[in-house]
């Protein structure tokens, strides 16, 4: 089939949406004729206007204005999509992953499949950059997303959490929705058989130290050390504050998946971990959970956002209530360590869950099923 793929940049770049866009683009190209429409080139005038408006709102209202959800910008993006699509012949479907502004104001008579990992109402005061928004930003965000969903023939949801919100907030009746989780954004997984050894290796993987719960992760490992558990924490993606320098904390820093050497380094790190500890306080999906499962690593995290689709209690890890603290996380990990059979079963089930659902081959198959429904 002939698919128009809307992207906010180069879809082959691993840095775009943590590599998720690249995985989708690569899979679709294998079976379909895919044409990319890049909507990332913003006009200088619009950039200046958005900066001025953002500063004005902050100065006068002491609020935030989020230019990403600007109706002016959405109309510009939609016009660009219309122009580019009109140059093509016999387009079967438009696929728009996580870019509602690009399809909100188009009118082409071509089926649209829209993919999202969170709705705008869910994100308000959930992620830091969408806190304390002015009324205009809230109005525009809901308006744009509502029109994008209304324009769509099908909405793919990255978790059950977002599917519930799409149905609740936008009164989806004729538009179909389906949950298709993301896969792991590391190719050629190299899992090793996991077992409890003298040293327990725990991985923390995230760029945003605060949101991903870096402090809680360090406090958890300190607590385990106080209980005489030989545990080491490996920090990937960010650097901790200076007060978190300990002999058992190893800072790897950010690893670029576009770089072969750093990508292989990340694979090697995953291969030697016993647990993924990610006490994230806000998470739409969490590709890292799919990656950990692919390596047979149990994930210990909070029950928040879309995490429930990616981490199933007793299958590939455990989700703790959002009010849990580092002591509770330490208790959870220690129970797993002390029951080797339980730990081994978690590792086996994690790998199985990855093979069944948290992989891009399954995503591709389910996407193609939707394509057939939309085109028939």
């Amino acid at each position: 089939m002939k698919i128009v793929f809307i992207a906010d940049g180069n879809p082959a770049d691993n840095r775009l949406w943590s590599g998720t866009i690249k995985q989708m683009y690569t899979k679709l190209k294998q079976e379909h004729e895919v044409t990319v429409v890049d909507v990332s080139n913003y006009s200088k005038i619009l950039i200046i206007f958005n900066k001025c408006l953002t500063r004005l709102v902050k100065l006068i209202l002491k609020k935030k204005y989020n230019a990403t959800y600007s109706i002016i910008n959405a109309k510009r993006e939609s016009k660009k999509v219309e122009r580019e699509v009109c140059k093509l012949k016999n387009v079967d479907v438009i696929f728009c992953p996580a870019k509602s502004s690009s399809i909100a104001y188009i009118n082409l008579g071509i089926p649209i499949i829209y993919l999202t990992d969170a709705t705008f109402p869910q994100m308000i005061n959930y992620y830091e950059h969408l806190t304390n928004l002015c009324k205009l930003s809230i109005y525009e965000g809901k308006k744009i997303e509502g029109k994008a969903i209304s324009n769509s023939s099908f909405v793919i949801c990255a978790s059950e959490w977002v599917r519930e919100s799409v149905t609740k907030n936008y009164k989806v009746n004729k538009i179909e929705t389906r949950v298709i989780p993301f896969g792991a954004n590391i190719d050629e997984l190299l899992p090793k058989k996991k077992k409890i050894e003298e040293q327990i290796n725990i991985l923390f993987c995230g760029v945003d130290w605060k949101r991903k719960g870096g402090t809680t992760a360090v406090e958890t490992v300190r607590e385990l050390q106080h209980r005489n558990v030989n545990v080491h924490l490996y920090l990937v993606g960010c650097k901790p504050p200076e007060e978190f320098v300990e002999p058992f904390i190893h800072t790897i820093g950010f690893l670029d998946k576009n770089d072969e050497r750093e990508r292989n380094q990340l694979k090697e790190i995953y291969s030697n971990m016993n647990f993924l500890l990610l006490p994230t306080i806000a998470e739409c999906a969490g590709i890292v959970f799919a990656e950990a499962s692919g390596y047979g690593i149990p994930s210990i995290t909070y029950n928040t956002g879309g995490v429930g689709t990616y981490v199933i209690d007793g299958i590939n890890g455990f989700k703790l209530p959002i009010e849990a603290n580092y002591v509770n996380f330490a208790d959870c990990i220690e129970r797993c360590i002390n029951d080797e059979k339980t730990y081994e079963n978690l590792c086996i089930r994690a790998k199985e869950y990855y093979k069944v659902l948290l992989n891009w081959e399954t995503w591709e198959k389910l996407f193609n099923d939707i394509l057939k429904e939309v085109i028939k």
Side-chain angles (χ1 to χ4, degrees), residues 186 190 192 194 255 261-273 295:
I186 299 180
L190 303 171
K192 296 179 182 177
K194 304 296 178 184
L255 295 176
R261 183 184 63 82
E262 294 187 13
R263 188 168 63 248
N264 289 334
Q265 183 183 356
L266 182 59
K267 292 178 184 179
E268 185 63 25
I269 290 169
Y270 267 116
S271 295
N272 292 295
M273 294 298 114
Y295 278 86

Side-chain angles (χ1 to χ4, degrees), residues 134-149:
C134 67
K135 290 183 179 179
L136 176 61
S137 255
I138 294 173
Y139 168 78
E140 288 188 312
K142 291 180 178 179
K143 181 79 171 178
I144 290 166
E145 188 169 65
K147 288 184 72 64
I149 290 173

Side-chain angles (χ1 to χ4, degrees), residues 5-13 16 21 25 36-42 80 99:
F5 190 111
I6 298 175
D8 192 17
N10 178 7
D13 190 339
L16 197 62
I21 297 297
Y25 177 59
V36 176
V37 174
D38 183 353
V39 295
S40 64
N41 296 321
Y42 301 102
K80 181 174 183 179
K99 204 73 180 76

Side-chain angles (χ1 to χ4, degrees), residues 288-302:
V288 68
F289 300 123
E291 293 174 351
S293 293
Y295 278 86
I297 303 169
S299 298
I300 313 297
T301 184
Y302 275 124

Side-chain angles (χ1 to χ4, degrees), residues 22-73:
K22 179 183 177 180
Q23 293 287 350
M24 296 176 185
Y25 177 59
T26 302
K27 287 299 178 186
L28 294 183
K29 278 202 308 178
Q30 291 175 358
E31 288 193 40
H32 308 283
E33 182 183 344
V34 179
T35 301
V36 176
V37 174
D38 183 353
V39 295
S40 64
N41 296 321
Y42 301 102
S43 70
K44 291 183 179 179
I45 294 175
L46 185 58
I47 291 172
I48 293 170
F49 173 78
N50 285 334
K51 284 183 177 179
C52 290
L53 183 56
T54 301
R55 289 172 182 171
L56 196 63
V57 169
K58 184 178 180 180
L59 181 66
I60 298 175
L61 301 177
K62 310 299 181 188
K63 296 275 187 178
K64 293 178 186 175
Y65 176 75
N66 191 288
T68 304
Y69 295 97
S70 154
I71 288 178
I72 294 174
N73 181 58

